Amino acid sequence: MKSLLRYLKDYTKESVLAPLFKMLEASFELLVPLVMAAVIDVGIAQEDRPYIVKMCFVLIALGLIGLVCSITAQYFSAKAASGFGTGVRHALFEHIQKLTFTEMDTIGSSTLITRLTSDINQTQSGVNLVLRLFLRSPFIVFGAMIMAFTVDVKAAMIFVVVIPVLSVIVFGIMLVTMPLYRKVQSYVDRVLLTTRENLAGVRVIRAFNKEQEEREKFEQENQTLTDAQKFVGRISGLMNPLTYIVVNGGIIALIYAGAIRVNIGDLTQGEVVALINYMSQILTELVKLANLIITVTKAVACGNRIGSVLNIQPDMEDGDQILSVENIYPAADGRQSGQKIPAVEFDHVSLTYKGAGGESLTDISFRAMKGQTIGIIGGTGSGKSSLVNLIPRFYDATQGKIRIFGKDIREIQIESLREHIGIVPQKAVLFKGTIAENLRWGNENASDDELEEALAISQAKEFVDRKPDRTEFQIEQGGRNLSGGQKQRLTIARALVRKPEILILDDSASALDFATDAALRSAIRSMKGSPAVFIVSQRASSVQYADQIIVLDDGEAAGIGTHEELLASCPAYQEIYYSQFPEEAQANG
């Protein structure tokens, strides 16, 4: 939690003024019992009406000044707390963007969402209450005790007994509940995970008639959270009754001792009332302090959870070299000499995912020249997506080297690297907004002509022309109002708008018919700029015309070559191809 306090540095003025004005309010509040004592001992005892009226105006003035101080303090504390929450939220979101895929897989998205929302809200509330009450409540508690000593030393000894007992109760409960609140937040993570899975997979759940099982699972997770909250709530709930018992016991002792002292003339009635008011103030403030402690306990637990994410250092170090057209093609005669530099080179590359039992890729070596089309084919789980995910450095190879235009990928700035790569992932992801807005994710400065060109190459122009307002057509969240093939073509167009040097199509045409798929591949091959194209597919027809085909089998390269070469020499490729074209298998059999 301490590490998060740096986000208050821009609100130092507010963080100082808020408790300062609260202290001023508390100071005026501590004067009220003395004024009341004077009203009783002087005004009422001597039947001095003008004095009583004068003291009433003093009380009104103290109340108004306290109100102004309180409102001012509320304003400054709210401003500081809101700014703190905003700063933490921005920092956490920015930090999450820097985490590698490995770390994102390890942490899990559900817990990150909880920390971005619920946890930050709890810490913001904690900061707000601390600025308002953390100094005010102890100030009034100890101030009331000191003021009691100015009234009567013997009677004030009751305060000396009551306050330490109350401190033990308050801080004891805080120490017990702090780890419990941390556990409660972890149960919130689990409920959120179950909820997200049910919402994302609602069609699958209904298709397999699993609503009842999922409802029971949710109820079980929710009940676990409820039980944990009730348990810690019962402990926190002891705060108010215990403090009330102690303070009211102190008031009883004060009334008893005060009655005896008044009877023998050591105390006045007004002084006894002042002492009881001070004890009542202590009671009120300790109730506030108890609620503050509960909120702060939650805030500290949540702040520690946020801090644990912020303390995760990405295990992928950024390079310092910038990949640009000038250093890709350094020769004076322009891009011609650059044709000899491999766009992508894998040199004995292996990959092991964190926590995995074995390698997902083993000793992969190949070269892809600019303008070439590289097909990657293999069975499910053979490592096709793992291979192409290494090119934009979503993961780092555990062995071997990957070079992009002759430069070690680890030496290139990640942002600079990805500016030259267009990626179309397996799952077509679109965002709420117009078609044009989605396409400009590839290049925010793209002109309308460039958008039209990308739509034409991706074979999306055909259905976009039929949409009302064409590229201004509104896409719903997740592309719900588009078919699977339409979403895939738009994601391809989004990657093409970037005009990348390297284009990766990760099984991104699976929803397209064979004719559209063939037209798409033909259009990409004739693109200006001649990018190196990687086509990941389980369809042999999608890769058979590639300049080079990499056949993966259980993470190893079972064969690398052209369609004809692999058909003649690679059993793994033969099995895939002839299973999809059985008539050719019979003709050759």
Side-chain angles (χ1 to χ4, degrees), residues 497-531:
V497 167
R498 175 166 282 185
K499 298 187 183 300
E501 311 286 340
I502 300 167
L503 178 63
I504 299 172
L505 305 177
D506 186 3
D507 206 12
S508 54
S510 57
L512 305 183
D513 58 78
F514 285 98
T516 306
D517 185 16
L520 171 66
R521 285 184 279 107
S522 175
I524 289 174
R525 183 179 285 272
S526 60
M527 276 176 59
K528 298 174 184 176
S530 304

Side-chain angles (χ1 to χ4, degrees), residues 76-153:
F76 284 126
S77 62
K79 184 177 180 182
S82 299
F84 167 82
T86 302
V88 173
R89 194 174 289 108
H90 278 303
L92 183 58
F93 187 79
E94 184 179 351
H95 185 74
I96 290 171
Q97 299 302 311
K98 294 177 182 177
L99 296 178
T100 63
F101 279 25
T102 301
E103 286 140 4
M104 295 281 281
D105 296 342
T106 303
I107 300 170
S109 57
S110 60
T111 185
L112 291 177
I113 292 172
T114 305
R115 294 177 202 209
L116 268 170
T117 52
S118 173
D119 287 353
I120 289 179
N121 289 338
Q122 291 281 8
T123 55
Q124 182 174 320
S125 298
V127 169
N128 194 355
L129 282 180
V130 164
L131 292 177
R132 286 164 45 197
L133 299 176
F134 189 70
L135 290 180
R136 181 189 190 280
S137 293
F139 179 78
I140 285 191
V141 170
F142 290 104
M145 184 176 71
I146 293 169
M147 296 299 286
F149 272 99
T150 65
V151 174
D152 184 73
V153 175

Side-chain angles (χ1 to χ4, degrees), residues 90 117 120 195 247 251 297 315 451 488 500:
H90 278 303
T117 52
I120 289 179
T195 305
V247 172
I251 291 175
T297 303
D315 56 11
L451 297 186
Q488 283 191 337

Side-chain angles (χ1 to χ4, degrees), residues 201-272:
V202 62
R203 287 178 173 83
V204 177
I205 292 169
R206 290 179 180 175
F208 285 90
N209 198 25
K210 291 289 183 181
E211 293 98 323
Q212 185 61 34
E213 288 88 338
E214 289 302 315
R215 191 179 297 116
E216 290 172 359
K217 179 182 176 183
F218 177 80
E219 287 174 357
Q220 183 180 353
E221 297 285 357
N222 199 26
Q223 190 61 46
T224 302
L225 172 62
T226 303
D227 293 341
Q229 287 177 322
K230 286 166 69 176
F231 179 69
V232 70
R234 288 191 190 102
I235 298 174
S236 297
L238 292 173
M239 186 91 71
N240 282 2
L242 289 178
T243 52
Y244 268 97
I245 288 171
V246 174
V247 172
N248 284 318
I251 291 175
I252 292 170
L254 269 176
I255 293 173
Y256 177 77
I260 295 173
R261 303 284 302 287
V262 168
N263 196 40
I264 62 176
D266 285 351
L267 280 177
T268 65
Q269 292 175 345
E271 288 173 336
V272 173

